[in-house]
Amino acid sequence: MTAVRDGLPDGRYGRSADQRADRKLKIIGAVLGVALLGVIGWSGVSYITGQDLSGRVIAWDAVSDHAVKVHLEVVKDTDAKGVCTLRSQAEDGSEVGRKDITVDQRTGQVDTEVTLRTTKRATNAVLVGCTTSGTG
């Protein structure tokens, strides 16, 4: 009996066209993946460095059924001015208070305590965001 081969002997005649195409696709995929990561990284860095104001709630305390005391910290450029928005929610998730705080001090960091009036007992105090209103 004789053995019948279905294809060419392995390694004798070089790579097949399918193997070359697979290698090209892997290289193209790797290059596109690195490019995508570069774009994402660049976008993230430009977003972070482009913000003139960034803030955070240091602490909050529901002092009564109709008020929340909030300690807000804002980091900004010395000449930057802007507005930070705080909000408070009740236990059921409904918004019970909202207040815009003007940040126009000529310092790099502003620590302030704000009393946020609410329509009923608040269970949190959240910084919605800060936006610039120009320099000056």
Side-chain angles (χ1 to χ4, degrees):
M1 293 218 226
T2 60
V4 178
R5 289 193 153 182
D6 290 336
L8 299 174
D10 291 336
R12 186 165 185 181
Y13 298 103
R15 293 184 175 167
S16 71
D18 287 342
Q19 289 174 328
R20 284 191 296 272
D22 287 347
R23 183 163 190 243
K24 286 181 184 177
L25 286 175
K26 287 179 185 177
I27 291 170
I28 290 171
V31 168
L32 290 176
V34 168
L36 179 63
L37 286 175
V39 168
I40 291 171
W42 177 77
S43 298
V45 168
S46 65
Y47 175 76
I48 291 171
T49 57
Q51 287 185 331
D52 290 334
L53 270 83
S54 65
R56 66 183 181 143
V57 172
I58 302 296
W60 65 273
D61 182 30
V63 293
S64 73
D65 285 344
H66 298 288
V68 176
K69 185 181 269 188
V70 181
H71 181 186
L72 178 66
E73 176 187 77
V74 179
V75 178
K76 63 181 188 66
D77 293 338
T78 303
D79 293 332
K81 295 180 181 180
V83 175
C84 292
T85 303
L86 292 171
R87 83 171 185 180
S88 188
Q89 294 174 302
E91 190 171 345
D92 63 1
S94 63
E95 185 174 292
V96 294
R98 179 176 286 256
K99 185 171 188 175
D100 290 333
I101 294 93
T102 303
V103 181
D104 58 0
Q105 296 86 339
R106 296 183 56 85
T107 60
Q109 180 174 340
V110 177
D111 281 313
T112 184
E113 285 196 1
V114 179
T115 300
L116 179 62
R117 299 205 182 274
T118 60
T119 56
K120 61 182 180 179
R121 187 91 178 159
T123 58
N124 68 10
V126 180
L127 176 66
V128 175
C130 296
T131 57
T132 58
S133 61
T135 59

